[in-house]
Amino acid sequence: MSYLVLARKYRPRNFPEMVGQEHVVRALTNALTQQRLHHAYLFTGTRGIGKTTVSRILAKSLNCTGADGQGGITATPCGVCPGCVAIDAGRFPDYVELDAASNRGVDEVQGLLEQAVYKPVQGRFKVFMIDEVHMLTNTAFNAMLKTLEEPPEYLKFVLATTDPQKVPVTVLSRCLQFNLRPMAPETIHEHLAHVLAAEQIPFELQALRLIARAARGSMRDALSLTDQAIAFGSGALQEAAVRQMLGSADRAQVLTLIDALARGDGRAVVQTSDELRAQGLSAASTLQEMVAVLQRMAVLQAVADLPATDADDPDAPEIARLAQAMPGDEVQLLYSICLHGTEELGLAPDEYAALTMVLLRLLAFKPAAPGEKKKLTPPEPAPGQAAASVAAAPAADRAPAPSAAPAQPAAPLRLPVRSVENIQQNTAPAPSGQARAATETVEIPVRSLPAPDEHGTAALDPESTALRPAEEGGFWHGVVHGLIERQQVSALTRELALQSQLVARDGGHWHLRVESASLNQPTARERLCAALREAGHASEISVEVGPVGDSPARRDAAAAAERQRTAEAIVRNDPQVQQLMRDFGAKIVPGSVKLASM
C-alpha cells in the first residue's frame, strides 16, 4: 500500500475537525442549520489553511443523504453515504473542481458553464468549485457574471483565492465572502501533537514549536515539514535534527547573542556570529528567532504579572531574566533593527557579514548609561600647533550631535590653559618652567553655529558686528548713501563703501579702513575715488585692512534692529495680544514679527 502524506491523510472530513477557522465554521454551520443558503461563496486566505477543504465539506453538507438514505441538508455530513464517500474520493459527478491557474481562459469557463443547464445527476446540488479564481482573465470573468448572479436553484458556486485584490468587484459583490485566517503557532503545535500521537511517532515539544513557527500560519506547510522531519530524523522528531533541517539557530545561541548585546560585549557578538556561520545556519532564521524572543521580552516588560503562555518552554526563565537585564528602550531598538535587518541580508555579498553588521548596529546606537560621559584627553600640542589640537578634538565634544530632542546648551570644552593662551594670543606655548599651569584646565563655553536667516545665510556674531560709533561715522554714512541714491556706485564698489569706515580726512585725501581684504581691490578703489571726486568730496583715497567699528552697513543694521525691537514691543504691548497671552497662554513665536518692506 502506497504511503499517504500527512497533509492528505489528516485532511478534515467535517466541520468539527476544522482547526483554527472557528469563525467560518460557525457561520456556515448556522447557515446550513437554518437553510439560509447563498448561491455563491468566496473563500480567501493564504495557502494551506483550508479553502479547498471547506469547499468539499460544504459540498458534502449540501448533498448528504444520511446513513439511511433519508437525510437532507445538514451541517454534520455523515461521511458514509454514497455522496459523501464519492466527494471524499474525488469522483462525485455533481462536484466539479476547476483549477483557474491552468484553466484561465474564456473557453474553459464557458465549458464549465455549459454544464450548469443540466440538473444534478446523483446529488441534490451541483457545486462548481473554482480554485485560484483570481487567475482568470477579464474575458473569463465577464463570461461567468450573469450565471454567477442568477444561477439555477440547484447550482452553487464556491470560489477560492489567495489574492482577493485581483478579483473584480463585480464578482466580489455577487459572493458571500469568508476570510480564512493564518493559524497561530500554538494551534498548529497542538494539532501536530495530536497527529503524531495518532501516528505513534515520538517527538520533542521544542521540535514541534520550531515546525509551528516555520509553517507561518499554514497547516499544510506544517504537516509537510513534519513529514520531512520524520524522514530526516529516522522516524522521530528531535529538536536538534529539526533545527539542522530548517537551518535555524539554536535558541541558546540566540539568547547568548541577546545577552552579549545587553552587556555591550562586541567580542561575544562577533564570536557567536562566526559560530553560526561555521555551522551553516541561516542568517535570516537567526534574526527571525531573535525577533520572536525580543517580542516575548517586550511583553514581559510591559506586563510583569502576565501568566506564562508556554509554561513548558525551557527557555522561559532565561527570557524573563533578559527582560529584566535589558532596558525597554534597548529591547524596542533591537527588535526594530532585527526586523528591518532581514531586508538587508540579500543586499550584502555575504549574508553573515550583514548579520554581524545588523547586530553591531545596536552597540553603535546603544543609549549611554545615566551619568556616563565621554572624556576628552587631547594629546600634548607641539609648539605653534595649538590650533591643530583643537581641530583634532572629536566633533561630538565641539558641537552637540543632531537629535530629535530639543537642543540643550553645549557643555563647556575643557582644554589645557597653555592651549587656550595659544589660541587667544596666537603665540608660542609657555616655556617648560610653567608645566604645572599647562596641566590646569579652564572652561570655555562652546557656542553653537548661528541659525541661518530667511535667505539661508548664517548670522554673524553680534559682538563682531556691533556698532561702535566713531567721530566721522555719521558724516561718512551720509556721503555713502548719497552716492548710492544717485547710483554713482554699484556692485563691489558699493560694498566697499558700505563696509568701510572713514578713519580720517586730510584735506582732499581720505583714509578708509575695511575688514575684508577681498573688498580692497584696485578697481573698486579707483571707482570709489572717482565717485567721491565727482560728488565734490575727496580727490584721493587710501584703503587699509583692519578692524571696523563704524561703517554705513553697521549703522543700517543697528537702525533696522532698533526698528525691529520697536515693532516687537508694539505687538507685545498690544491689549488684544496681552489678553490672548493671559487667557489662553499664547506666546509670540520668536522671529515671527516682520517689518513691512519700505
Side-chain angles (χ1 to χ4, degrees):
M1 181 177 179
S2 60
Y3 174 74
L4 192 62
V5 298
L6 297 178
R8 295 180 59 187
K9 182 177 181 180
Y10 289 93
R11 180 191 293 268
R13 308 290 181 177
N14 48 56
F15 287 125
E17 293 181 3
M18 287 289 298
V19 176
Q21 307 297 343
E22 289 76 10
H23 61 293
V24 177
V25 170
R26 180 179 178 181
L28 293 178
T29 299
N30 293 338
L32 291 167
T33 302
Q34 301 173 10
Q35 303 291 306
R36 300 178 63 89
L37 302 177
H38 202 274
H39 61 270
Y41 297 88
L42 175 63
F43 298 115
T44 65
T46 187
R47 81 274 176 228
I49 57 176
K51 298 185 296 295
T52 305
T53 298
V54 172
S55 171
R56 293 181 181 179
I57 296 175
L58 179 60
K60 289 195 294 184
S61 298
L62 294 174
N63 292 289
C64 180
T65 58
D68 56 359
Q70 303 298 321
I73 300 174
T74 177
T76 56
C78 65
V80 296
C81 68
C84 292
V85 173
I87 291 175
D88 288 336
R91 58 174 183 267
F92 191 64
D94 298 320
Y95 177 71
V96 181
E97 288 189 6
L98 178 68
D99 179 20
S102 55
N103 300 278
R104 57 193 306 264
V106 64
D107 295 336
E108 289 82 357
V109 172
Q110 286 180 343
L112 178 67
L113 296 179
E114 287 175 358
Q115 304 179 33
V117 298
Y118 303 106
K119 289 187 176 182
V121 176
Q122 180 178 344
R124 193 177 295 113
F125 291 94
K126 273 183 176 292
V127 180
F128 289 168
M129 195 276 177
I130 305 179
D131 199 8
E132 300 298 341
V133 68
H134 67 275
M135 300 291 289
L136 292 178
T137 63
N138 290 333
T139 308
F141 275 121
N142 293 333
M144 64 183 294
L145 283 180
K146 189 59 180 178
T147 306
L148 184 64
E149 182 179 9
E150 297 178 358
E153 60 180 6
Y154 52 81
L155 178 61
K156 303 294 182 184
F157 280 94
V158 179
L159 312 180
T161 177
T162 57
D163 194 355
Q165 303 297 329
K166 295 182 179 179
V167 179
V169 66
T170 51
V171 174
L172 295 177
S173 64
R174 289 166 166 82
C175 299
L176 199 62
Q177 184 172 346
F178 294 93
N179 183 27
L180 280 71
R181 304 165 185 165
M183 302 179 195
E186 293 78 13
T187 302
I188 297 178
H189 176 276
E190 182 179 355
H191 185 67
L192 291 181
H194 171 74
V195 169
L196 292 176
E199 290 289 316
Q200 297 182 354
I201 295 176
F203 61 89
E204 295 180 359
L205 291 177
Q206 192 62 24
L208 296 189
R209 293 190 184 95
L210 292 173
I211 294 177
R213 286 197 295 267
R216 294 185 175 273
S218 172
M219 185 62 74
R220 183 176 62 210
D221 289 0
L223 291 171
S224 299
L225 288 174
T226 303
D227 261 325
Q228 182 180 354
I230 293 173
F232 189 85
S234 300
L237 268 70
Q238 297 179 348
E239 178 186 358
V242 172
R243 284 191 183 278
Q244 185 178 359
M245 181 192 75
L246 297 176
S248 58
D250 188 357
R251 177 64 67 85
Q253 293 172 314
V254 171
L255 295 176
T256 300
L257 276 176
I258 297 177
D259 182 61
L261 291 171
R263 294 183 284 105
D265 189 352
R267 181 183 297 273
V269 171
V270 175
Q271 289 178 349
T272 306
S273 178
D274 291 341
E275 292 176 2
L276 295 173
R277 181 203 297 266
Q279 296 173 11
L281 301 180
S282 170
S285 66
T286 302
L287 289 179
Q288 293 168 5
E289 189 74 17
M290 290 185 66
V291 166
V293 174
L294 291 166
Q295 186 268 341
R296 291 181 60 182
M297 291 171 56
V299 171
L300 289 175
Q301 289 177 341
V303 187
D305 56 348
L306 185 69
T309 57
D310 197 353
D312 297 331
D313 188 357
D315 298 322
E318 180 64 14
I319 294 176
R321 184 191 69 80
L322 290 175
Q324 296 179 354
M326 181 177 286
D329 56 348
E330 291 188 25
V331 172
Q332 295 294 335
L333 177 61
L334 183 56
Y335 178 87
S336 179
I337 290 176
C338 293
L339 195 63
H340 291 85
T342 55
E343 303 175 359
E344 302 178 9
L345 297 180
L347 303 177
D350 182 358
E351 69 170 7
Y352 260 93
L355 173 65
T356 304
M357 291 300 297
V358 168
L359 297 177
L360 294 180
R361 189 173 302 159
L362 176 68
L363 299 181
F365 293 100
K366 188 179 181 67
E372 181 181 349
K373 181 179 180 182
K374 294 182 179 180
K375 296 183 179 179
L376 176 65
T377 55
E380 189 71 17
Q385 296 181 355
S389 65
V390 177
D397 291 330
R398 283 184 280 152
S403 174
Q408 300 293 333
L413 177 64
R414 303 181 67 87
L415 292 174
V417 172
R418 185 171 61 186
S419 297
V420 175
E421 294 175 352
N422 293 338
I423 296 171
Q424 294 177 343
Q425 301 176 7
N426 195 22
T427 59
S432 58
Q434 299 180 359
R436 180 177 179 273
T439 59
E440 298 177 356
T441 58
V442 295
E443 294 186 354
I444 303 176
V446 180
R447 291 193 298 268
S448 59
L449 292 177
D453 58 11
E454 59 183 358
H455 302 290
T457 304
L460 296 176
D461 187 355
E463 297 181 1
S464 64
T465 59
L467 174 64
R468 297 186 294 274
E471 180 180 357
E472 299 287 353
F475 170 78
W476 179 238
H477 179 269
V479 170
V480 170
H481 278 281
L483 297 177
I484 294 175
E485 291 175 0
R486 292 189 298 271
Q487 297 183 356
Q488 293 179 288
V489 291
S490 61
L492 186 61
T493 307
R494 181 182 58 191
E495 287 301 315
L496 174 60
L498 286 172
Q499 301 295 338
S500 62
Q501 176 180 345
L502 180 58
V503 179
R505 289 183 291 172
D506 185 9
H509 182 272
W510 290 9
H511 184 70
L512 304 179
R513 182 185 299 153
V514 68
E515 285 185 334
S516 176
S518 61
L519 294 176
N520 189 14
Q521 301 294 331
T523 304
R525 291 198 303 268
E526 293 175 1
R527 291 178 180 177
L528 179 58
C529 182
L532 291 172
R533 187 182 305 114
E534 182 180 355
H537 295 299
S539 58
E540 184 180 357
I541 64 171
S542 61
V543 182
E544 67 175 9
V545 178
V548 174
D550 188 352
S551 65
R554 296 200 179 194
R555 286 182 174 261
D556 293 341
E562 182 61 28
R563 291 195 301 271
Q564 178 70 25
R565 286 192 293 270
T566 303
E568 292 177 353
I570 293 174
V571 174
R572 187 167 52 252
N573 297 328
D574 184 88
Q576 294 183 357
V577 174
Q578 291 185 350
Q579 183 178 1
L580 290 174
M581 297 173 66
R582 181 175 59 255
D583 297 344
F584 301 102
K587 296 182 179 179
I588 300 176
V589 179
S592 61
V593 179
K594 301 294 183 181
L595 294 175
S597 58
M598 303 181 63

